[in-house]
Amino acid sequence: MGGWWVKWAAINDALYWRVLRANPELMRRVIRLASENVNSGGGGPFAALIVKDGAVVAEGVNTVFASNDPTAHAEVNAIRKACAALGGFALRGCEIYTSSEPCPMCLAAIYWAHLDTIYFGNGCEDAARAGFDDAYIFRQLSLERAKRAIPSEQLLRDEALESFRLWEASPFKREY
């Protein structure tokens, strides 16, 4: 879907209408980057751009194999570069263009970075057909902890709460 459309958004409990404008040329650029990444042997078929006020702030490609880092997805790499370029951890006012619908990890990173909008090329179904099936992880996240494939157990909660108490009183505390 391209062109103009309107989105209803809730930001800090204030509801407002926001007009979105997708830029097909930026999507073409991110698609080219993803293809170049495959052809160069650099990594998987994924790329992302962070855009602010119509200008590209950062780009990233998947470097999982090159870096031996399972978190080195295109979106995460682009977010890290954009935060460094803009000098902050919040990317409000920015959009992300990504060659594929974000996986659960990247989607969480996008939310933590406070990006305004996501534009993507391939959908999750397309990624699954290419061997990147995120549906399993999405399903796991919806389960209760005890029912997930990777066991998790809360341990020493009372002791662990100390760091949160310190954070709440810290003069270095900053809002995410």
Side-chain angles (χ1 to χ4, degrees), residues 61-89:
V61 295
N62 178 291
T63 58
V64 169
F65 300 142
S67 64
N68 292 317
D69 178 354
T71 69
H73 290 200
E75 296 92 335
V76 172
N77 287 338
I79 288 169
R80 289 174 178 159
K81 289 178 182 178
C83 288
L86 296 174
F89 58 82

Side-chain angles (χ1 to χ4, degrees), residues 84-162:
L86 296 174
F89 58 82
L91 297 174
R92 289 179 182 88
C94 295
E95 307 164 325
I96 187 166
Y97 285 77
T98 180
S99 58
S100 188
E101 191 170 0
C103 75
M105 177 185 70
C106 292
L107 186 59
I110 289 165
Y111 274 89
W112 277 112
H114 301 283
L115 286 153
D116 289 359
T117 308
I118 303 166
Y119 299 108
F120 62 91
N122 294 309
C124 288
E125 308 79 21
D126 303 314
R129 280 192 293 279
F132 302 96
D133 192 357
D134 298 324
Y136 172 76
I137 299 172
F138 278 115
R139 283 192 305 273
Q140 286 290 304
L141 291 173
S142 69
L143 297 174
E144 297 172 27
R145 281 185 231 141
K147 294 182 179 180
R148 294 180 187 158
I150 298 176
S152 65
E153 178 182 343
Q154 191 169 23
L155 191 62
L156 301 176
R157 178 179 180 266
D158 290 339
E159 293 177 35
L161 284 172
E162 178 60 20

